[in-house]
Structure formats: C-alpha cells, structure tokens
Amino acid sequence: MFFQRTLKNTIRCTGIGLHSGSKVYMSLRPAAENTGIVFHRTDLDGALIPANVKNISDTRLCSTIANEDGDRISTVEHLMAAFAGLGVDNAYVDLDGPEVPIMDGSAAPFVFLIQCAGVVDQKLPKKWIRIKKKVTVKDGDKEATFEPLDHFKISFLIDFQHPLISQQGVEMDVSETTFIKDVSRARTFGFLKDMEMLRSNGLAKGGSLDNAIVIGDFRILNEGGLRYDQEFVRHKIIDAIGDLYLLGHPVLGHFTGIRSGHALNNALLQSLMAQEEAWEFVEGTPDSAMEASKASSFKSTYQPALAIPA
C-alpha cells in the first residue's frame, strides 16, 4: 500500500531569488493528509498559494503560481521536483518573498533539506493521476505528450544550436533512486550573450556562476565544469518533473518532451485537465508502479523512435 507522505520535521534555509536577486528565507513544514503542497507568503499577511495547475500564472523562464488575490510565488519548479522525486504529497512552504531561492540551480539542495527534515507515511492512501489516452500539444517544432503507462516515465530531447550542447536525449523511469542519482544535481543553464537582455527585462538578477551553468561561445565558464554528462537535458528533466507535479498528484504515465519548456509543459497540463476522458484518479497500490520503482532505469542516449524531428 502506498500512503501519502509529509515531512517529519520543519527545516529552514535562506538563499537568493534567481530572477529577483533578493534574499529570501524559506521553511518547509509538515502538512496534514490531502493538503498538497501549499506555499505561504509570510510577508503578505499569510497569503496561501496552493501548488496547483489552476494557479499557474506565468511561465517565462520559470513556473509561477498565484492565488485569486494575485499573490505570487515564482521559480517553484526545482523545489516541486524535489517533493515529487522524494514522494512528498503534503507540505507547507513558508517564504518571506515572491520567489523560491535558487540555491545552486539544481534540485539537490532541496533534496538535502527534505532528507534532513525526514519523510513519514501518513494514514490515507496516496492518490495518483493515471493517464488513460494520449494527449499532445505542439508549438512549432516543440512538442509535449502524455501517453498511458503503468508507472512514471520521462523522455526528453533538446536541440540547441551551440557546439557545447547540440542534441541531447534522456529516457528514465522515475523513482526516488533515479531522481536523486541521475538528475537532481543538474543545474539550470544560460548563455553569457543573453545575460544583459535578461537583466534589462527584470530577469536573472540573482544569476551567477554559483547557481547556474554559464555558457560562453566556446566553453563552460564555471570553474568546475559540468556535473554530469549531458547535464543540460538532465536539468530539463528536473524542470519537467517539477512542472508536472503542479497537477497536485504524481503521474502514472509516460511524458515525452521535445524542445519543451515551462510554457509547453503547462499547456500539456491544461489540455490534459480539459479532457476528462484522458485521465483518472487512482489510489492505494499501483503494483506496477512499485515494480517499476524497484527496477528503475536511466538511459542517457537516443532511441530510434525518439529521434528529434528535423
């Protein structure tokens, strides 16, 4: 039986917002069954912002959620990915500002915080969203798809016209083990030539070599280089896992992203929710999901059927 999970203890940290550049204090707290992940703006008279697909308000370079009063939290995807990767269903996230701290640009610091707080089973069964039929959204040469599968699997393909990235592909059965080992430390990335433009538009004010991979014309500017082979597409996996967890529940299905980003990931969620026949809630014991978790796999390679379209 799979039960809902929450944190065992409260844990706190501080960091810098990637886009705001402002210092922010954050606490992760336990929450009761069926609460979901709820963000709490302590600087706005305790405004609550549930991490839910209905609350997605902006997808420019990050995922932003907002409540009916317009209270916002941005850059939620890496923390949401850590909650998803470690199977946390219910938690409160207290923040004294409008953005989750970027930390080192990956999900690993959030994994560490959650592991330090501890994770405990609760009394009610876990709820899943099971994909029943194929759903696809496209935007030019970008594509995102859900397909039925008895466990959670992600395939992601990127294609950048840059010699240090080019085409990269990853396929993985998502489990706590594969998430922590194979993708959690992959950092967000950006191009040096774009930094001035981003900052003139009020974005990436807190970006630095400490929290992002910065790519020059011919080399990686970070002193330590890359953490993984194909770190760029692995980070896209983190973003996708975090974005998909805004459904409010873990997924039983296969997600494929081709050049996809936050905007298209969100479009897929909206399309899925609009098609009631394409999904259903299941709870308790998806036996196949347990077996897939035990035999989880990761492939940092192309499969012929997953080749990036020209």
Short mmCIF file of all heavy atoms in Angstrom, two decimals, residues 1 26 39 68 78 90 92 124 153 155 174 202 232 236 243 256 265 269 271 281 299:
data_model
loop_
_atom_site.label_atom_id
_atom_site.label_comp_id
_atom_site.label_asym_id
_atom_site.label_seq_id
_atom_site.Cartn_x
_atom_site.Cartn_y
_atom_site.Cartn_z
N MET A 1 0.84 -1.20 0.00
CA MET A 1 0.00 0.00 0.00
C MET A 1 0.87 1.25 0.00
O MET A 1 1.79 1.37 0.81
CB MET A 1 -0.91 0.01 1.23
CG MET A 1 -1.70 1.29 1.45
SD MET A 1 -2.97 1.58 0.22
CE MET A 1 -4.21 0.39 0.73
N MET A 26 13.21 30.67 3.79
CA MET A 26 12.24 29.62 3.47
C MET A 26 12.20 28.56 4.56
O MET A 26 13.24 28.18 5.11
CB MET A 26 12.60 28.96 2.14
CG MET A 26 11.60 27.90 1.69
SD MET A 26 11.98 27.19 0.05
CE MET A 26 13.35 26.10 0.49
N PHE A 39 2.19 26.92 -0.77
CA PHE A 39 3.15 27.99 -0.49
C PHE A 39 2.47 29.06 0.36
O PHE A 39 1.28 29.35 0.19
CB PHE A 39 3.67 28.60 -1.80
CG PHE A 39 4.59 27.68 -2.54
CD1 PHE A 39 4.10 26.66 -3.35
CD2 PHE A 39 5.98 27.81 -2.41
CE1 PHE A 39 4.95 25.80 -4.03
CE2 PHE A 39 6.84 26.96 -3.08
CZ PHE A 39 6.32 25.95 -3.89
N GLU A 68 -6.06 33.75 -6.03
CA GLU A 68 -7.10 34.61 -6.60
C GLU A 68 -6.85 36.09 -6.29
O GLU A 68 -7.35 36.96 -7.01
CB GLU A 68 -8.47 34.20 -6.08
CG GLU A 68 -8.90 32.82 -6.57
CD GLU A 68 -10.26 32.42 -6.05
OE1 GLU A 68 -10.79 33.15 -5.17
OE2 GLU A 68 -10.79 31.39 -6.49
N HIS A 78 12.03 23.66 -9.22
CA HIS A 78 13.08 22.80 -8.67
C HIS A 78 12.67 22.23 -7.32
O HIS A 78 12.93 21.05 -7.03
CB HIS A 78 14.40 23.57 -8.54
CG HIS A 78 14.89 24.15 -9.82
ND1 HIS A 78 15.87 25.11 -9.87
CD2 HIS A 78 14.53 23.92 -11.11
CE1 HIS A 78 16.08 25.44 -11.14
NE2 HIS A 78 15.28 24.73 -11.90
N ASN A 90 2.36 16.19 0.83
CA ASN A 90 1.78 17.28 1.61
C ASN A 90 2.86 18.04 2.37
O ASN A 90 3.66 17.43 3.10
CB ASN A 90 0.76 16.72 2.62
CG ASN A 90 -0.28 15.83 1.97
OD1 ASN A 90 -1.02 16.29 1.10
ND2 ASN A 90 -0.32 14.56 2.36
N TYR A 92 3.87 22.46 3.73
CA TYR A 92 3.78 23.91 3.63
C TYR A 92 5.17 24.47 3.35
O TYR A 92 6.17 24.01 3.92
CB TYR A 92 3.24 24.52 4.93
CG TYR A 92 1.77 24.31 5.14
CD1 TYR A 92 1.31 23.38 6.09
CD2 TYR A 92 0.82 25.01 4.40
CE1 TYR A 92 -0.04 23.18 6.30
CE2 TYR A 92 -0.54 24.81 4.60
CZ TYR A 92 -0.96 23.89 5.55
OH TYR A 92 -2.30 23.69 5.73
N LEU A 124 -3.68 8.14 5.14
CA LEU A 124 -4.53 7.99 3.97
C LEU A 124 -3.72 7.52 2.76
O LEU A 124 -2.54 7.82 2.64
CB LEU A 124 -5.23 9.31 3.65
CG LEU A 124 -6.22 9.81 4.70
CD1 LEU A 124 -6.89 11.10 4.23
CD2 LEU A 124 -7.27 8.75 5.03
N LYS A 153 7.30 7.59 -16.37
CA LYS A 153 8.48 7.57 -17.22
C LYS A 153 8.58 8.91 -17.94
O LYS A 153 7.57 9.51 -18.32
CB LYS A 153 8.38 6.44 -18.25
CG LYS A 153 9.57 6.30 -19.19
CD LYS A 153 9.38 5.09 -20.09
CE LYS A 153 10.57 4.87 -20.99
NZ LYS A 153 10.41 3.64 -21.82
N SER A 155 10.78 10.93 -21.14
CA SER A 155 11.76 11.01 -22.23
C SER A 155 11.87 12.48 -22.60
O SER A 155 10.85 13.16 -22.76
CB SER A 155 11.30 10.20 -23.44
OG SER A 155 11.09 8.85 -23.10
N VAL A 174 11.12 7.08 -13.60
CA VAL A 174 11.36 7.99 -12.48
C VAL A 174 11.06 7.26 -11.17
O VAL A 174 9.96 6.78 -10.92
CB VAL A 174 10.48 9.25 -12.58
CG1 VAL A 174 10.79 10.20 -11.42
CG2 VAL A 174 10.73 9.96 -13.91
N GLY A 202 14.30 42.62 -16.29
CA GLY A 202 13.99 42.33 -14.90
C GLY A 202 14.12 40.87 -14.52
O GLY A 202 13.55 40.43 -13.52
N PHE A 232 22.68 19.35 -19.39
CA PHE A 232 21.66 20.29 -19.84
C PHE A 232 20.30 19.60 -19.97
O PHE A 232 19.29 20.10 -19.47
CB PHE A 232 22.08 20.92 -21.17
CG PHE A 232 23.44 21.55 -21.11
CD1 PHE A 232 24.53 20.92 -21.72
CD2 PHE A 232 23.64 22.74 -20.44
CE1 PHE A 232 25.79 21.50 -21.65
CE2 PHE A 232 24.90 23.31 -20.37
CZ PHE A 232 25.98 22.69 -20.98
N LYS A 236 16.55 19.72 -17.77
CA LYS A 236 15.22 19.82 -18.35
C LYS A 236 14.29 18.77 -17.77
O LYS A 236 13.07 18.98 -17.65
CB LYS A 236 15.29 19.69 -19.87
CG LYS A 236 15.90 20.90 -20.57
CD LYS A 236 15.00 22.11 -20.45
CE LYS A 236 15.49 23.26 -21.31
NZ LYS A 236 14.57 24.42 -21.24
N ASP A 243 7.27 20.80 -13.03
CA ASP A 243 6.09 21.34 -13.69
C ASP A 243 4.92 20.35 -13.64
O ASP A 243 3.78 20.74 -13.36
CB ASP A 243 6.40 21.68 -15.15
CG ASP A 243 7.26 22.92 -15.31
OD1 ASP A 243 7.40 23.68 -14.33
OD2 ASP A 243 7.81 23.13 -16.41
N THR A 256 6.71 12.75 -22.72
CA THR A 256 7.78 12.99 -23.67
C THR A 256 7.82 14.48 -23.99
O THR A 256 6.80 15.07 -24.36
CB THR A 256 7.58 12.20 -24.98
OG1 THR A 256 7.58 10.80 -24.69
CG2 THR A 256 8.71 12.50 -25.97
N ASN A 265 4.99 22.72 -21.21
CA ASN A 265 4.63 21.78 -20.15
C ASN A 265 3.29 22.17 -19.53
O ASN A 265 2.42 21.32 -19.29
CB ASN A 265 5.70 21.75 -19.05
CG ASN A 265 7.03 21.20 -19.54
OD1 ASN A 265 7.13 20.58 -20.59
ND2 ASN A 265 8.08 21.46 -18.78
N LEU A 269 -0.50 20.27 -19.39
CA LEU A 269 -1.31 20.06 -18.19
C LEU A 269 -2.72 20.59 -18.39
O LEU A 269 -3.70 19.94 -18.01
CB LEU A 269 -0.67 20.75 -16.97
CG LEU A 269 0.75 20.33 -16.58
CD1 LEU A 269 1.14 20.99 -15.26
CD2 LEU A 269 0.89 18.82 -16.50
N SER A 271 -4.31 21.02 -21.21
CA SER A 271 -5.00 20.18 -22.18
C SER A 271 -5.47 18.87 -21.54
O SER A 271 -6.59 18.40 -21.79
CB SER A 271 -4.09 19.88 -23.37
OG SER A 271 -4.74 19.09 -24.34
N PHE A 281 -8.31 9.43 -11.38
CA PHE A 281 -7.64 9.25 -10.11
C PHE A 281 -7.60 7.78 -9.75
O PHE A 281 -8.59 7.06 -9.93
CB PHE A 281 -8.36 10.01 -8.98
CG PHE A 281 -8.09 11.48 -8.95
CD1 PHE A 281 -9.14 12.39 -9.08
CD2 PHE A 281 -6.81 11.98 -8.77
CE1 PHE A 281 -8.91 13.76 -9.04
CE2 PHE A 281 -6.57 13.34 -8.73
CZ PHE A 281 -7.62 14.23 -8.87
N LYS A 299 18.56 6.02 -19.18
CA LYS A 299 19.32 5.91 -20.42
C LYS A 299 19.66 7.31 -20.92
O LYS A 299 18.77 8.08 -21.24
CB LYS A 299 18.53 5.16 -21.49
CG LYS A 299 18.20 3.72 -21.13
CD LYS A 299 17.38 3.07 -22.23
CE LYS A 299 17.02 1.63 -21.86
NZ LYS A 299 16.18 0.99 -22.90
#
